[in-house]
Amino acid sequence: MRASILLILLATPATLVGQSEIPPPVQQGLAALRDGHCQDALTLWTKAWPEPQKSQMAGSCPALEQYGGAVHGYDVLRVVDVTPHLRRVYVMLLCEIQPVYMMLVAYRAGEVDWKVGTVNWNTDPDKVIPTAILPPQRPGP
């Protein structure tokens, strides 16, 4: 019996074991990025943000294209339930030039709709992805 349970767990893709569902606005924004609509993704993710934060993110699309190139898709590395109302979604964007690593924080008060409160991306995974999720690219001494 134990062997069959172990085999089932080993046969299940790692992205499904212990993973929470990706909040809808995060999923919709990632789909927009994959489809070549970076500004639509940022608009969706930042719609609840104050204007100064929105304008700070406005320059992200040209920078993302400059450093990563066109986005062809994405891999979800992990979805972490911090609390029942807060999730972190760690993603690797499959870009033309190089991978781009992204962390999005989704929040909902009560049972209302999810909102994205943080969008953080970098071409250096060590600056975005915790070592518990992805081993460091450049381990320290």
Side-chain angles (χ1 to χ4, degrees), residues 5 9 15 17-18 23 25 33 35 48 50 52-53 56 64 68 73 76 82 100 123 133 140:
I5 291 173
L9 288 175
T15 55
V17 176
L33 275 177
D35 295 341
Q53 286 180 311
Q56 192 175 26
L64 180 63
V76 175
V82 179
V100 173
T123 56
I133 294 172

Side-chain angles (χ1 to χ4, degrees), residues 22-124:
I22 298 174
V26 173
Q27 184 70 48
Q28 293 162 359
L30 289 171
L33 275 177
R34 178 198 62 220
D35 295 341
H37 304 289
C38 182
Q39 197 56 55
D40 292 347
L42 290 181
T43 299
L44 176 70
W45 290 336
T46 63
K47 73 180 178 181
W49 294 15
E51 285 306 317
Q53 286 180 311
K54 282 183 186 182
S55 13
Q56 192 175 26
M57 280 303 290
S60 287
C61 289
L64 180 63
E65 188 167 333
Q66 176 185 355
Y67 292 106
V71 178
H72 296 290
Y74 59 90
D75 289 337
V76 175
L77 302 173
R78 179 98 31 103
V79 178
V80 177
D81 277 332
V82 179
T83 76
H85 300 97
L86 187 71
R87 286 189 187 151
R88 288 187 185 152
V89 181
Y90 296 96
V91 177
M92 180 181 70
L93 298 178
L94 307 174
C95 298
E96 192 173 322
I97 298 169
Q98 64 181 324
V100 173
Y101 302 90
M102 182 174 273
M103 187 264 310
L104 299 109
V105 176
Y107 168 76
R108 70 175 174 180
E111 295 302 316
V112 298
D113 295 335
W114 288 95
K115 296 175 182 159
V116 175
T118 301
V119 177
N120 185 6
W121 67 268
N122 204 299
T123 56
D124 182 351

